[in-house]
């Protein structure tokens, strides 16, 4: 056994044993432990064709499948409710083309548009809220809080009350108003970049401006126009038609894949702007893309069912806690939003006998406690201002 003295290390090294320099120090053990904690509950995969690799989260997958099953069950229950009650088996057979002609007529022509509207609107609001909350790293960020929903609302109400829509439909009016509000928020929040904190603060101010403008239009309009605008502003699924659902379905088919792709880019934003730039992410470009996708989802969802309150705020937070992720997962948040909207509409149709309440009333009652809880939690964490 040989022993030698190394001046650089300042200690003896024994030839038959591993040197102290080669042994993992406290920093190495901490780094390895942190890596193990970050990858806990994940399964690495790699496919040859197509060349895709990544980490699979079993809990997130299980939660998403459970939410999809719950959304389908709520969808069938929503379709079964009406003046002529149907069983879930009859509804399921009618959805795949079976059953008697009378049941097919009731399900496909009379009830399916309403149920499908609730499903798609919930997905649109849930995904939009998840994108905005992940982008701003703020659980209070949602289209309701940032003025995007209110911008779409004031544009649609102006078209209803003033009767000067320029030939634009409800969808284009909502898209124009939401996009205009988003541009104003982003421009006012810009200061050598637009941070999530400034976006939230400016968005709250813009939302109140749009709300005041909507109230003014409601006061100025005639009685029947004001009643039509009020029924839309509360958020309602009653009387939906295939013509109202088709634009939303097309928008989701285009924007949902983009939202899922942006979810991968936003993971670097979770590390902070400086680290994200160091990793090669174009921070402001990603933020603008996220904002545009969110605006499109909110605009078409609002044009279909009105500004259904608190769904975009509550659904991402519920999905995040079910999945156990650091930030709201967009797909799970969309499925949670669908369950919330369909479940709330079922409750709205059954709470008061012989009366169908607008779905926005029920989501508002359910969402308000969630907002209060988030505010209390933010204050306890020292981030509530």
């Amino acid at each position: 056994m040989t022993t030698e003295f190394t001046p650089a290390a300042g200690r003896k090294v024994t030839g038959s044993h591993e040197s102290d320099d080669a042994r993992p120090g406290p920093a190495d053990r901490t780094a390895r432990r942190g890596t193990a904690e970050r990858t806990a509950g994940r399964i690495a995969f790699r496919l040859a064709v197509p060349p895709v690799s990544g980490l699979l989260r079993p809990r997130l997958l299980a939660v998403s499948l459970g939410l999809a099953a719950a959304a389908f069950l709520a969808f069938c229950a929503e379709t079964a409710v009406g003046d002529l009650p149907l069983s879930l088996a009859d509804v399921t057979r009618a959805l795949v083309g079976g059953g008697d002609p009378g049941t097919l007529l009731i399900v496909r022509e009379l009830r399916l548009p309403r149920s499908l509207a609730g499903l798609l609107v919930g997905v649109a609001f849930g995904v939009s809220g998840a994108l905005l909350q992940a982008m701003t790293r703020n659980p209070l960020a949602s289209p309701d809080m940032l003025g995007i929903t209110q911008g779409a609302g004031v544009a649609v109400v102006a078209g209803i009350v003033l009767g000067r829509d320029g030939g634009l439909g409800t969808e284009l009016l909502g898209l124009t108003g939401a996009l205009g509000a988003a541009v104003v928020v982003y421009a006012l929040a810009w200061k050598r970049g637009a941070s999530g904190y400034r976006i939230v603060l400016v968005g709250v101010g813009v939302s109140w401006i749009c709300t005041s403008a909507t109230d003014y239009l409601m006061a100025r309009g005639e009685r029947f126009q004001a009643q039509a605008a009020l029924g839309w502003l509360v958020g309602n699924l009653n009387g939906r038609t295939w013509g109202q659902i088709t634009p939303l379905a097309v928008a989701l088919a285009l924007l949902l894949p983009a939202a899922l792709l942006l979810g991968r880019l936003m993971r670097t934003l979770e590390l902070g702007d400086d680290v994200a730039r160091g990793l090669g992410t174009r921070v402001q470009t990603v933020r603008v893309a996220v904002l545009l996708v969110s605006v499109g989802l909110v605009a078409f969802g609002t044009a279909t069912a009105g500004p259904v309150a608190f769904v975009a705020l509550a659904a991402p937070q519920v999905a995040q806690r079910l999945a156990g992720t650091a930030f709201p997962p967009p797909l799970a948040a969309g499925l949670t939003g669908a369950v919330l909207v369909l479940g709330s509409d079922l409750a709205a149709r059954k709470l008061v006998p012989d009366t169908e309440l607008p779905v926005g009333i029920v989501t508002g009652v359910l969402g308000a406690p969630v907002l209060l809880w988030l505010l209390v939690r933010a204050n306890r964490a020292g981030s509530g201002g």
Side-chain angles (χ1 to χ4, degrees), residues 114 230-238 305 308 344-345 347-349 355-364:
R114 177 172 186 159
L230 180 61
W232 180 86
L233 279 174
V234 175
N236 202 341
L237 295 176
N238 190 23
V308 183
S344 298
D345 195 47
R349 300 170 71 178
T355 302
E356 289 191 4
L357 298 175
V359 64
I361 294 178
V362 179
T363 58

Side-chain angles (χ1 to χ4, degrees), residues 332-361:
L335 293 172
T336 304
V339 174
L340 287 177
V341 173
L342 290 171
S344 298
D345 195 47
L346 276 172
R349 300 170 71 178
K350 293 295 185 180
L351 283 177
V352 181
D354 301 327
T355 302
E356 289 191 4
L357 298 175
V359 64
I361 294 178

Side-chain angles (χ1 to χ4, degrees), residues 110 113-114 236-242 244 304 356:
L110 301 180
R114 177 172 186 159
N236 202 341
L237 295 176
N238 190 23
R240 301 303 97 178
T241 63
W242 289 110
Q244 294 171 309
T304 301
E356 289 191 4

Side-chain angles (χ1 to χ4, degrees), residues 82-97:
D83 294 334
L84 180 61
L86 299 175
S87 66
L88 294 180
D90 292 337
V91 172
T92 305
R93 282 195 295 268
L95 290 177
V96 297

Side-chain angles (χ1 to χ4, degrees), residues 264-334:
R264 296 177 60 90
L265 294 176
M266 285 192 299
R267 292 176 186 173
T268 58
L269 296 184
E270 298 170 4
L271 304 175
D273 292 355
D274 294 335
V275 177
R277 290 190 187 95
L279 294 175
T281 301
R282 297 181 178 180
V283 175
Q284 299 306 326
T285 302
V286 173
R287 280 207 178 103
V288 171
V290 169
L291 199 59
L292 290 176
V293 172
S294 300
V295 165
L297 291 172
V298 169
F300 283 95
T302 303
T304 301
V308 183
F310 288 116
V311 174
L313 176 70
Q317 293 301 307
V318 173
Q320 178 181 347
R321 279 147 184 82
L322 290 176
T325 56
F327 285 86
L331 182 59

